[in-house]
Amino acid sequence: MSSPSICEVGSRLVQEYTTKTPQKLKLIDAYLGYIMVTGIIQFIYCCLVGTFPFNSFLSGFISTVASFILGVCLRIQVNPANNIVFKDISVERAFADFIFAHGVLHLVVLNFIG
Amino acid sequence: MRWGVLVLLVALTAALTPADRERLGAVFSGPVDSLKSAYQTTVARQILKLAPLDGVCEFVASNTGDSLNDLYYASQVSGALGCNFAKEGAEGTLMQEITAEGASISKLFKGISSLANLNLAVDPTLSGKISAALKKDDSVMAHALAYLAAAALPGDVPADVYDTIEDVAHRADTIGTARSFDDGLMETAMFLKGALVLSQKQGKAALSGEMVKGFTAYMTSNKNKASQSSLFYTLIGLDALSNNNLAVPTSLSVSGGTVISGEGANFQVVLVNPLGEQVTGSEASIQSAVVPATGAALFKTGPMEGGNGAFSVSPLPNPARGVYSVGVTGSVPAGFVAPDPAKFKVKVVLPVTVEGSSLKIVDVDDNRAMMTSDLSGGAAVAKVDLSSRLTLDFNIADNAGKVALHQVFVRFTNTKTQQTVYFVAQADLNKRYSLDVNFRTAAAKSFGGVAGDYSVDLILGDATLASAVVTNIATLTLDLAESKEVLAAPEKAAKPEITHVFRQPEKRPPQAISSLFTGLVLLPALVVLGVWAKLGANLSGFSFSLSGLGFHLGLLAVLGIYVHFFLGLIDMFATMKWLAIVSLFTFLTGNRLLASIAAQRKEKK
């Protein structure tokens, strides 16, 4: 039997994703995608026009990176498939952590952006 | 034999020198352009015992108005010069100022002093008014004027005013040896004048000898000030200290110039009061006059010749060269404070001769003396090269025998380039000097490999020589196979000017690109909102409870604080403060809200 081709693997992945993934996780995935695109656009801008002022670029880029990481953390904790690992942390607790971390992140970013 | 006496380190004078008196006399030589300058010039010249300027009386007579200040200055000048100044209604004005209710001490002083100087009657009961005015104004200046006013009243000195002198004197600070009041020169000078005039009238000194010495040190330290007013008050202070018969401080200082040479030279000392006037009836004597290391004596100990403030002493015959430390003490009649014992440095300078010299040029390889000279026939002439060695031996002597001096150099000067090379001649234990130059090594090391004619000089210098002795002893021609070129003198022309280039600001991208990317960055936000809507996100589960609303409002408030901070409307301190309050509220409401959502979820399960 021939191994499945890339196209077949890809379409299988997309099909499984759209059917098996809970709605909440899809929302978070959309959010993560948005964050990533924002980060990429900032990076392209920096490549085009140079790094001055460097602190502004750094704070903007790292803001997207950190937000992405926090979003990933939220997704992991909220995923029902990981319930065994995170049974002490409820969904609401994960969300509260997410909000608090974002509060601190944005304070630091706004201070550093200049 | 000729010798000279050089006097060094005149003791720190606590008095005016003759040069100071002359300089001050020049400062106060007019022209007189105001009543105040007439007053200051007249009084200063009187203190310095100079003749008064012409035309001062006429100037005062024609320029005096009716004010208390004018009458005060005019009366002072009149009293000092004997002008017989008279003004219509002067007495009336003065009496009016004095008898006014609550008259200040300044007005009282000026009024009383003016009446006294114009030979008009002064009421003795005014001492009560003086004491009353002193109670209102406690400053040093007020006390000074009170003392002067009280001294101008007929009758006994009021005891309550006199008794304050010592207390006020203790308010002065001592910095080093100088004692003065915080307020400065004018206050200190007027205080001294007042206190000493009043003490003189009382017949008893109110200031101790130590205090008087401290004040004197301060007064003389001001003798080099620039302004005429400062110098005037310096003279006032020094005059007060010098012209009383209770306790006049005195000091010893050297006079008669700093360099005396030739036979008949002697050492002169004066004993003076703070104004620099010699003290009649005083004596001075030499305590010691020796070189500290060897004990050789310069003067005989005992009383100095002369008297009445000017003393001199002749040296013992044939003094040895050196720096002598001379201790002098003085004694004074009653009414004067004996001067501090003084230590002066006196230097004996003697000429020297060079004798017993021997200059040899020796061949290094076979030790053959190629040239020998004793320098008696003038400068030697010789040729040297890399195989030569120059040796020079000599003694230095004065009339007492061989001496060792501080600086004994042999200088080689290249006649063409004027470059110099110095060698130091060393003395052995018998004080015989010698120099040994081996050209095999010295040619490169000391002479830089430059060949040519060199003139050789012997240089002698010392503190006990009147001036350095430079003798040309030889002319040498240095032959070298390869002579180094002399380095050119450094370029003396101006270097090119450096204009500072300020830091250029960084290049920023054009506005269009920045705006485009700002838009691009905001675009995904809209996209994600659309995706969420498509995925079925909605606000149907929004709880309008208190905690729900509170939590969302709290989050918006936090965002609002951040925006304010970013816009620079509040600083980090204020941000932290607001954040603490709002985040506490948000946390509490959020906790409630999420707990209720969790409870609802559990119920549903």
Side-chain angles (χ1 to χ4, degrees):
Chain A
M1 198 151 169
S2 61
S3 47
S5 69
I6 292 287
C7 288
E8 282 173 24
V9 170
S11 64
R12 178 85 189 279
L13 175 70
V14 170
Q15 198 202 10
E16 287 246 2
Y17 179 78
T18 36
T19 48
K20 296 254 182 75
T21 321
Q23 185 207 30
K24 281 210 177 110
L25 293 187
K26 281 190 195 154
L27 291 174
I28 296 177
D29 289 337
Y31 170 73
L32 292 175
Y34 148 65
I35 295 285
M36 192 165 72
V37 168
T38 310
I40 290 170
I41 294 175
Q42 283 185 59
F43 190 72
I44 292 171
Y45 180 71
C46 171
C47 289
L48 276 179
V49 302
T51 58
F52 185 81
F54 196 48
N55 58 308
S56 303
F57 162 68
L58 266 187
S59 65
F61 188 68
I62 286 171
S63 167
T64 59
V65 169
S67 300
F68 188 85
I69 292 169
L70 290 172
V72 167
C73 287
L74 180 67
R75 192 187 192 280
I76 291 174
Q77 288 175 332
V78 159
N79 198 346
N82 295 335
N83 223 1
I84 309 154
V85 182
F86 291 109
K87 62 174 180 290
D88 290 331
I89 304 174
S90 64
V91 169
E92 287 74 27
R93 174 64 200 275
F95 182 65
D97 287 343
F98 175 78
I99 296 290
F100 175 69
H102 263 283
V104 173
L105 171 68
H106 286 299
L107 179 65
V108 172
V109 161
L110 282 176
N111 194 22
F112 193 52
I113 205 159
Chain B
M1 208 174 193
R2 266 185 50 210
W3 45 268
V5 173
L6 196 80
V7 177
L8 290 179
L9 203 82
V10 172
L12 218 63
T13 46
L16 295 179
T17 64
D20 290 328
R21 290 177 66 94
E22 207 177 302
R23 179 173 49 88
L24 289 168
V27 168
F28 290 103
S29 51
V32 163
D33 51 11
S34 67
L35 281 179
K36 183 169 171 184
S37 76
Y39 157 63
Q40 288 191 343
T41 307
T42 307
V43 172
R45 289 184 78 85
Q46 198 179 39
I47 293 174
L48 290 169
K49 300 210 166 51
L50 296 169
L53 295 176
D54 293 327
V56 178
C57 282
E58 289 79 19
F59 177 86
V60 161
S62 52
N63 283 307
T64 305
D66 292 316
S67 69
L68 180 60
N69 270 344
D70 282 2
L71 289 173
Y72 169 67
Y73 289 135
S75 66
Q76 296 287 327
V77 173
S78 166
L81 299 180
C83 282
N84 288 333
F85 168 82
K87 185 148 174 104
E88 203 59 46
E91 187 170 1
T93 315
L94 292 170
M95 289 309 294
Q96 205 178 14
E97 292 281 1
I98 293 172
T99 53
E101 191 66 39
S104 71
I105 190 69
S106 170
K107 285 199 159 63
L108 278 175
F109 160 68
K110 287 191 175 141
I112 294 173
S113 169
S114 306
L115 285 173
N117 272 307
L118 291 174
N119 293 322
L120 297 167
V122 185
D123 184 358
T125 60
L126 285 168
S127 58
K129 282 209 96 167
I130 295 176
S131 304
L134 255 190
K135 285 196 175 48
K136 274 193 289 176
D137 184 351
D138 194 37
S139 65
V140 172
M141 194 62 171
H143 280 275
L145 296 178
Y147 302 148
L148 288 168
L153 293 176
D156 290 333
V157 168
D160 56 343
V161 175
Y162 175 83
D163 287 337
T164 61
I165 294 180
E166 206 180 328
D167 288 333
V168 176
H170 276 295
R171 289 192 215 172
D173 300 313
T174 309
I175 303 167
T177 51
R179 177 181 275 267
S180 66
F181 289 101
D182 266 345
D183 308 306
L185 177 58
M186 186 170 79
E187 280 73 12
T188 311
M190 291 304 281
F191 171 78
L192 281 175
K193 183 167 174 192
L196 291 165
V197 162
L198 199 59
S199 299
Q200 177 79 359
K201 189 166 178 197
Q202 180 77 324
K204 197 169 69 154
L207 299 175
S208 69
E210 277 308 305
M211 280 197 185
V212 160
K213 274 194 196 164
F215 281 121
T216 311
Y218 173 73
M219 279 296 147
T220 40
S221 73
N222 281 296
K223 68 182 179 179
N224 288 316
K225 286 261 171 354
S227 79
Q228 199 184 58
S229 193
S230 299
L231 294 174
F232 171 72
Y233 285 107
T234 308
L235 282 174
I236 290 282
L238 291 172
D239 176 56
L241 290 160
S242 307
N243 289 319
N244 60 75
N245 55 19
L246 298 170
V248 177
T250 56
S251 61
L252 287 160
S253 56
V254 178
S255 80
T258 52
V259 181
I260 316 161
S261 62
E263 286 297 324
N266 58 10
F267 175 58
Q268 291 172 345
V269 159
V270 288
L271 207 165
V272 291
N273 68 10
L275 279 174
E277 297 158 347
Q278 290 168 1
V279 176
T280 48
S282 58
E283 303 284 327
S285 60
I286 302 277
Q287 294 295 106
S288 66
V290 293
V291 177
T294 63
L298 180 59
F299 302 126
K300 205 169 51 156
T301 58
M304 293 174 81
E305 286 156 26
N308 287 335
F311 309 96
S312 69
V313 66
S314 300
L316 296 169
N318 286 334
R321 70 190 315 118
V323 178
Y324 293 81
S325 176
V326 179
V328 181
T329 55
S331 64
V332 283
F336 291 90
V337 179
D340 291 330
K343 260 206 164 15
F344 303 115
K345 271 193 170 45
V346 178
K347 195 159 75 168
V348 173
V349 163
L350 294 171
V352 292
T353 52
V354 176
E355 36 187 59
S357 342
S358 153
L359 174 72
K360 291 203 190 83
I361 310 286
V362 178
D363 187 299
V364 179
D365 298 321
D366 50 18
N367 254 346
R368 203 168 32 95
M370 300 202 316
M371 188 213 81
T372 317
S373 162
D374 63 358
L375 299 179
S376 57
V381 180
K383 264 190 166 42
V384 290
D385 56 24
L386 284 176
S387 65
S388 311
R389 198 172 119 218
L390 179 146
T391 61
L392 175 65
D393 301 280
F394 56 94
N395 293 327
I396 308 175
D398 67 6
N399 60 349
K402 285 197 275 195
V403 295
L405 298 179
H406 285 155
Q407 298 173 329
V408 181
F409 302 140
V410 176
R411 177 179 68 193
F412 292 74
T413 313
N414 189 313
T415 46
K416 201 164 60 170
T417 65
Q418 299 308 313
Q419 285 176 307
T420 52
V421 186
Y422 286 87
F423 294 93
V424 178
Q426 304 284 0
D428 63 13
L429 292 167
N430 288 328
K431 297 197 184 150
R432 183 151 175 86
Y433 281 89
S434 64
L435 174 71
D436 192 329
V437 181
N438 187 334
F439 283 95
R440 181 153 286 165
T441 47
K445 193 169 107 173
S446 308
F447 288 85
V450 180
D453 286 333
Y454 284 87
S455 97
V456 185
D457 302 307
L458 177 65
I459 302 175
L460 305 174
D462 192 74
T464 57
L465 273 182
S467 57
V469 177
V470 181
T471 340
N472 180 248
I473 54 174
T475 307
L476 295 178
T477 308
L478 178 61
D479 286 328
L480 294 174
E482 299 153 0
S483 169
K484 288 239 169 52
E485 281 309 309
V486 177
L487 290 161
E491 184 65 55
K492 294 242 169 77
K495 286 218 168 100
E497 189 182 333
I498 304 168
T499 43
H500 181 77
V501 176
F502 286 95
R503 191 162 70 106
Q504 306 294 345
E506 295 266 349
K507 238 176 47 131
R508 305 303 284 266
Q511 181 88 3
I513 304 233
S514 304
S515 309
L516 173 70
F517 272 88
T518 310
L520 276 180
V521 148
L522 294 172
L523 208 55
L526 299 170
V527 171
V528 82
L529 283 174
V531 171
W532 278 345
K534 186 150 164 283
L535 283 171
N538 53 54
L539 291 171
S540 61
F542 190 86
S543 80
F544 283 94
S545 67
L546 202 61
S547 37
L549 281 172
F551 175 65
H552 286 87
L553 280 174
L555 279 184
L556 281 173
V558 168
L559 219 63
I561 294 171
Y562 285 176
V563 167
H564 275 82
F565 174 69
F566 177 67
L567 290 174
L569 298 168
I570 47 176
D571 61 11
M572 187 48 101
F573 293 110
T575 309
M576 289 272 107
K577 191 177 66 179
W578 284 113
L579 216 54
I581 304 166
V582 174
S583 61
L584 183 67
F585 170 74
T586 312
F587 172 73
L588 291 170
T589 48
N591 197 15
R592 288 270 292 283
L593 177 67
L594 289 171
S596 70
I597 294 177
Q600 273 178 349
R601 192 163 48 87
K602 281 216 176 65
E603 246 177 63
K604 255 200 265 178
K605 278 212 180 118

